[in-house]
Amino acid sequence: LVEREPALGGHMAQLSKTFPDLDSALGGLLSKASEVEGHSNIHLFCYSELQDVKGYVGNFDLVIRKKATSVDWEKCTGCGICIKNCPVEYVSQFERGLGMRKAIDTLYPGSVPNKPVIHREHCRYFLDGGCKRCEETCPEKVIHFEQKDETIEQKVGAIVVATGYDLFPKEEMGEYGYGEIPDVIDGLAFERMLSPDGPTKGKILRPSDGRVPKEMVFIQCAASRDPDRYMPYCSRVCCMYTAKQAKIYKEQVPDGQPYIFYMDIRSDCKGYEEFLQKTIEEKGLLYLRGRVSRVYQDDGKVRVLGVDTLTGRMVEVGAEMVVLATAIVPSQGVKDLAAKLRATVDRHGFLTEAHIKLYPVESSTKGIYLAGCGQSPKDISDTVSQASATASKIQALLSTDKLLQDPLIAFVDEGICSGCGICVEICPYEAREMDPHRGISIVRSALCQGCGACIAACPNFSCELRNSSAGQILQMVDTFIT
């Protein structure tokens, strides 16, 4: 299991509560993550990235770069003394800019693994050599500033790509005042605010002055379902987490008033619909159907200007805090990773399945499987369901010593191949190579996915798709006509 961050959990670790009973998100996560860490058959590589991939289904060769943590994780006890004594603080991305973290720190309290990492871009030792406080105070003497990145090679039979998601960049949403008005935050930042171990210890407070907001505005579809400027697709989870957040706000601030600007309510299952209706009826949430055109600051208020499409009237709310349900986008670096895996992505950067109905969890390259929001926006239950399907597919694949090859693979008519090498250069799966003795192109059948790129590029028409050649297709057409 290769994890880019220093600990397991992804965005799940940032959430406060989950449906349907609004249980703590972190409790269930830590239980699962601890099982993974202690499992004898799982090799965990945190703070690591996939550097290179070679081979084919059943026989992949991976090169993993394990980044230097500057801490000996084998001997570290996770006591946290080094963190307490570190004098350097900087804005925490995990807390979505609402809190601070140390130059040596764990990803989140109680993280799995619960081992600190020195972030060299903020550490004074690596900047000017002027501080060794963590090394001096560590009782186990596990701080090693000279530690280098490590390269690890692994051989595996199948690969699951579960790269998660990011949120649409706030810098590109000027009409919402995002990044300029401190009291305009995104839904993930509000989750950190609601979390008991978050920057405000679970209390809803305005980032600008620390006061409890009495009027809250939630704006849905911020950068979603907007093909002209932003993302044309629905991010799926926004309607439900906005309802959850508004409900928690109303419970915490009974005399407060939440407003929710929405386009449509997309609660896509029975449990969600019941939760939504019950929340509206019991908590007095005010839903306004319409798009927000502008958010600006005036007289100490955050002014939200929009249109109620049911009445056709302009609506302006003088809010004290605004939460944006921001579009889900692919994680940074997914396109580069897809290129290494020879997997495909769509125009938005999400990983694409081989067939939306027949092969929903397989990528275009055999042996590469998909799970979670790396493929498309999903909620937790859908992600778990897809991960279970992926695990079942891999179990079936590796449960036999015989691999069934797809019959639709390319072949070369050696009699007319000129050895120009065009097919070798154009093959996206690196399944073509030149025979140095005969001077012709050959197909590595284990790598070929039958995409047909070589057939279209071959100037001599020597490339064909086995069991689906041009002659066979024409013969089928003739048979159909007669």
Side-chain angles (χ1 to χ4, degrees):
L1 177 55
V2 181
E3 168 59 52
R4 182 167 60 180
E5 298 295 334
L8 299 175
H11 288 304
M12 182 76 177
Q14 295 176 285
L15 305 184
S16 57
K17 298 179 180 180
T18 59
F19 292 105
D21 301 320
L22 298 188
D23 297 325
S24 170
L26 193 59
L29 169 67
L30 292 180
S31 174
K32 282 292 183 184
S34 297
E35 288 182 32
V36 170
E37 184 185 31
H39 201 292
S40 59
N41 289 338
I42 298 177
H43 302 278
L44 183 60
F45 299 99
C46 284
Y47 209 49
S48 305
E49 292 187 10
L50 195 62
Q51 189 167 320
D52 194 20
V53 182
K54 297 293 183 184
Y56 47 89
V57 55
N59 190 34
F60 289 110
D61 295 307
L62 310 184
V63 178
I64 301 168
R65 181 172 69 92
K66 194 173 188 302
K67 294 179 283 187
T69 61
S70 302
V71 178
D72 187 342
W73 278 14
E74 295 294 329
K75 299 179 181 178
C76 177
T77 62
C79 65
I81 293 176
C82 56
I83 300 174
K84 294 178 182 177
N85 286 277
C86 178
V88 179
E89 288 188 335
Y90 66 98
V91 176
S92 171
Q93 291 300 315
F94 183 84
E95 303 293 355
R96 305 298 292 176
L98 298 180
M100 306 295 288
R101 74 182 314 122
K102 298 294 187 71
I104 180 171
D105 211 341
T106 55
L107 185 61
Y108 54 87
S111 62
V112 179
N114 192 26
K115 310 290 184 179
V117 171
I118 293 180
H119 299 278
R120 298 185 176 190
E121 64 273 21
H122 299 285
C123 177
R124 288 184 184 174
Y125 174 83
F126 290 100
L127 293 176
D128 55 22
C131 178
K132 289 188 176 182
R133 190 77 57 84
C134 56
E135 183 185 51
E136 295 166 356
T137 58
C138 176
E140 303 297 328
K141 305 301 178 185
V142 299
I143 306 298
H144 300 299
F145 294 114
E146 71 282 358
Q147 191 181 76
K148 304 294 183 182
D149 291 357
E150 183 181 354
T151 299
I152 301 169
E153 296 183 359
Q154 290 281 311
K155 186 177 287 292
V156 301
I159 299 171
V160 181
V161 189
T163 50
Y165 69 91
D166 284 333
L167 295 183
F168 192 86
K170 62 184 180 180
E171 297 81 11
E172 300 180 23
M173 302 171 62
E175 70 271 28
Y176 295 110
Y178 203 179
E180 298 179 1
I181 304 174
D183 295 325
V184 177
I185 62 175
D186 62 30
L188 205 51
F190 196 61
E191 287 289 329
R192 293 310 302 151
M193 193 176 286
L194 297 175
S195 180
D197 63 349
T200 62
K201 305 303 179 185
K203 296 181 179 179
I204 300 173
L205 304 173
R206 281 165 44 114
S208 61
D209 55 17
R211 289 175 15 192
V212 177
K214 297 298 182 181
E215 286 190 307
M216 285 277 296
V217 170
F218 295 86
I219 302 176
Q220 296 188 181
C221 299
S224 289
R225 301 179 64 192
D226 191 345
D228 295 330
R229 295 177 299 171
Y230 300 122
M231 302 291 105
Y233 53 81
C234 171
S235 293
R236 287 198 59 188
V237 298
C238 311
C239 290
M240 295 317 302
Y241 77 64
T242 295
K244 177 195 72 172
Q245 291 174 348
K247 171 183 168 66
I248 296 174
Y249 165 76
K250 192 64 177 177
E251 291 174 346
Q252 192 174 135
V253 189
D255 58 339
Q257 178 59 59
Y259 303 86
I260 298 98
F261 282 88
Y262 73 102
M263 291 178 63
D264 300 292
I265 302 298
R266 295 189 170 184
S267 49
D268 61 352
C269 76
K270 179 181 177 182
Y272 287 176
E273 186 66 28
E274 290 178 353
F275 178 90
L276 180 65
Q277 293 301 325
K278 186 177 179 181
T279 300
I280 294 174
E281 293 169 4
E282 294 182 358
K283 301 302 178 182
L285 309 183
L286 182 56
Y287 274 76
L288 300 170
R289 192 172 192 272
R291 297 283 293 203
V292 171
S293 60
R294 187 186 175 200
V295 178
Y296 62 99
Q297 199 161 19
D298 183 41
D299 296 332
K301 292 277 190 177
V302 182
R303 303 288 177 181
V304 180
L305 187 64
V307 177
D308 187 336
T309 55
L310 293 177
T311 64
R313 296 179 180 177
M314 296 291 294
V315 177
E316 183 173 337
V317 179
E320 296 182 8
M321 190 170 162
V322 174
V323 180
L324 303 179
T326 318
I328 285 177
V329 298
S331 295
Q332 185 177 9
V334 166
K335 288 186 178 180
D336 292 337
L337 177 62
K340 294 174 184 177
L341 297 171
R342 299 187 293 275
T344 55
V345 297
D346 63 18
R347 61 193 180 98
H348 307 298
F350 289 107
L351 294 156
T352 54
E353 62 282 340
H355 191 284
I356 194 170
K357 294 179 180 178
L358 301 179
Y359 306 104
V361 298
E362 291 100 326
S363 77
S364 56
T365 299
K366 196 170 182 62
I368 309 292
Y369 296 83
L370 312 176
C373 289
Q375 183 186 19
S376 65
K378 294 180 180 67
D379 64 7
I380 296 169
S381 59
D382 282 349
T383 296
V384 172
S385 298
Q386 188 187 26
S388 298
T390 296
S392 299
K393 285 284 187 179
I394 294 175
Q395 187 176 26
L397 173 73
L398 301 181
S399 62
T400 176
D401 57 354
K402 293 182 179 180
L403 180 64
L404 294 178
Q405 174 68 46
D406 192 326
L408 297 178
I409 60 174
F411 72 96
V412 179
D413 186 337
E414 300 179 1
I416 58 176
C417 177
S418 65
C420 64
I422 293 177
C423 58
V424 176
E425 297 176 2
I426 204 168
C427 180
Y429 300 101
E430 300 179 6
R432 308 300 296 263
E433 63 182 7
M434 297 299 296
D435 187 325
H437 303 293
R438 294 183 294 167
I440 61 172
S441 171
I442 58 176
V443 180
R444 300 167 67 186
S445 59
L447 289 173
C448 180
Q449 305 296 316
C451 69
C454 56
I455 299 169
C458 181
N460 299 319
F461 305 104
S462 63
C463 294
E464 284 281 10
L465 201 61
R466 195 176 301 279
N467 302 309
S468 187
S469 65
Q472 289 173 303
I473 298 296
L474 292 174
Q475 188 173 1
M476 285 189 282
V477 173
D478 292 337
T479 303
F480 176 77
I481 293 173
T482 56

